[in-house]
């Protein structure tokens, strides 16, 4: 039934946010890749991802579904990618046949917000949590395109712990099943290695304090945990008795990353 598949990925984790089952099922379809939430991603790394997908002959559109950036370009690319086929149909007398498009994406990748923008309606349910869209539905985009919306679907088994972590960082896995402290620890560890300046700027951490803490003669996880506690202290995550609330601190770090408060950050580099 489908002519063009539009796959929405999180620009911060383009590999981990691509369902491998969907990749397999749609491999012979015309496809457009949407790098959504690009405004939250590292610009230089986004360019590398564009190169990566272009080498695989996939058209890439940068999008921010909250503002509508990339929506008009997506519509244009859908029509462009089907020009030859639509002309062949017209030559055979099949006038008025609409381009059938399907938008796919894992939970919480911004799919429903994008559909609302492209359809200029509020048809799709929206929320900053996975599992909002519950059923399939056809939506008229314009006189040439109709679109099939589908629920965001994760695959049964993650191929690596790293992929699972990345999905946790961006909120694609429901928070109630997570160990927030462990996920926040892994995210803090990544940020200390790759975006230390952004982390220090956001939480007013002294670079010398970071260096000294990481060099302490104790297991690495203890050192990073101390830095997390310092973040909690700086942001007032303090319980009675002066103890740092580690759960509140963990939630703070995860939420501020997910919502872009730490700046433009990309978790995955292009292969």
């Amino acid at each position: 039934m489908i002519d063009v598949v539009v796959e929405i990925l999180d620009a911060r984790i383009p590999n981990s946010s691509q369902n491998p089952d969907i990749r397999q099922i749609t491999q012979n379809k015309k496809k457009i890749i949407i790098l959504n939430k690009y405004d939250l991603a590292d610009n230089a790394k986004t360019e590398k991802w564009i190169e990566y997908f272009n080498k695989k002959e996939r058209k890439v559109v940068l999008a921010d579904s909250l503002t509508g950036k990339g929506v008009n370009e997506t519509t244009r690319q859908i029509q462009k990618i089907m020009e030859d086929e639509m002309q062949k149909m017209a030559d055979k007398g099949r006038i008025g046949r609409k381009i059938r498009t399907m938008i796919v994406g894992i939970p919480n990748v911004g799919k429903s917000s994008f559909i609302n923008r492209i359809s200029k309606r509020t048809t799709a349910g929206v929320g900053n949590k996975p599992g909002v869209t519950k059923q399939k539905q056809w939506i008229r985009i314009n006189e040439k395109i109709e679109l099939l919306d589908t629920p965001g679907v994760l695959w049964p088994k993650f191929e690596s712990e790293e992929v699972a972590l990345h999905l946790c960082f961006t909120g694609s896995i429901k928070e109630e099943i997570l160990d927030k402290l462990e996920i926040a620890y892994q995210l803090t560890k990544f940020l200390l290695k790759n975006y230390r300046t952004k982390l220090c700027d956001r939480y007013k951490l002294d670079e010398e304090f970071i260096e000294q803490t990481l060099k302490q003669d104790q297991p690495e996880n203890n050192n990073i945990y101390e830095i997390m506690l310092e973040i909690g202290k700086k942001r007032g995550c303090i319980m009675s008795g002066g103890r740092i609330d580690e759960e509140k601190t963990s939630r703070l770090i995860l939420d501020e990353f997910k919502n872009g408060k730490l700046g433009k950050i990309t978790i995955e580099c292009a292969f």
Side-chain angles (χ1 to χ4, degrees), residues 20 104 187 236:
V104 297
L187 177 58

Side-chain angles (χ1 to χ4, degrees), residues 28-62:
N28 296 321
K29 290 288 185 180
K30 297 181 184 299
K31 184 181 284 188
I32 296 169
I33 298 292
I34 306 294
L35 290 180
N36 197 30
K37 305 185 182 182
Y38 87 101
D39 56 308
L40 304 179
D42 185 317
N43 293 335
K45 291 183 179 179
T46 297
E47 289 299 320
K48 293 293 184 182
W49 276 107
I50 292 173
E51 291 177 19
Y52 168 81
F53 286 115
N54 285 342
K55 287 178 181 177
K56 291 183 171 290
E57 299 183 348
R58 299 298 189 192
K59 178 62 185 176
V60 178
V61 176
L62 299 181

Side-chain angles (χ1 to χ4, degrees), residues 75 78-79 86 95-100 118-120 139-147:
T75 302
I78 290 170
Q79 295 178 193
M86 298 307 289
I95 306 296
R97 193 322 199 139
K98 288 183 172 57
I99 300 170
R100 293 170 178 165
I118 201 170
S119 63
K120 299 179 176 62
I139 302 169
R140 182 179 181 275
I141 300 304
N142 56 33
E143 70 280 1
K144 295 182 179 180
I145 302 171
E146 58 184 11
L147 180 150

Side-chain angles (χ1 to χ4, degrees), residues 233-248:
K233 180 180 177 181
K234 294 276 189 180
R235 296 299 293 271
C237 303
I238 301 173
M239 304 168 68
S240 59
R243 292 188 301 112
I244 305 300
D245 188 332
E246 62 181 31
E247 183 173 347
K248 186 175 181 180

Side-chain angles (χ1 to χ4, degrees), residues 79-91:
Q79 295 178 193
K80 183 177 179 181
I81 205 172
M82 283 294 292
E83 276 179 347
D84 292 344
E85 282 74 6
M86 298 307 289
Q87 186 59 53
K88 289 176 185 177
M89 291 181 194
D91 292 342

